[in-house]
Amino acid sequence: MATLRSRDLHGRADWVDKEFSALIDTDENAGLLRTLGIDLDTLSADAWPGPATDDPRTI
């Protein structure tokens, strides 16, 4: 969402925020991310929140 907001695409960011959980499965939603103009290879490391759990077995 930060990527969309940085491009002044607040409406799209709001839609993504309503439709998806905090963590988006980038494999399953690759087509949608491409449609939104988000290239995962160009996102900075700080755009990734890290694991959703502290359990290292789920990483």
Side-chain angles (χ1 to χ4, degrees):
M1 288 178 288
T3 299
L4 294 171
R5 291 191 194 289
S6 73
R7 296 178 188 162
D8 289 327
L9 299 173
H10 300 285
R12 288 184 184 187
D14 291 343
W15 179 83
V16 169
D17 188 31
K18 289 177 194 170
E19 294 294 322
F20 293 96
S21 64
L23 297 175
I24 296 174
D25 183 333
T26 55
D27 291 329
E28 185 176 317
N29 295 292
L32 172 63
L33 295 170
R34 277 192 301 274
T35 298
L36 293 170
I38 297 173
D39 180 1
L40 297 176
D41 294 331
T42 62
L43 289 178
S44 62
D46 62 349
W48 301 105
T53 179
D54 292 332
D55 186 350
R57 294 174 293 170
T58 61
I59 298 175

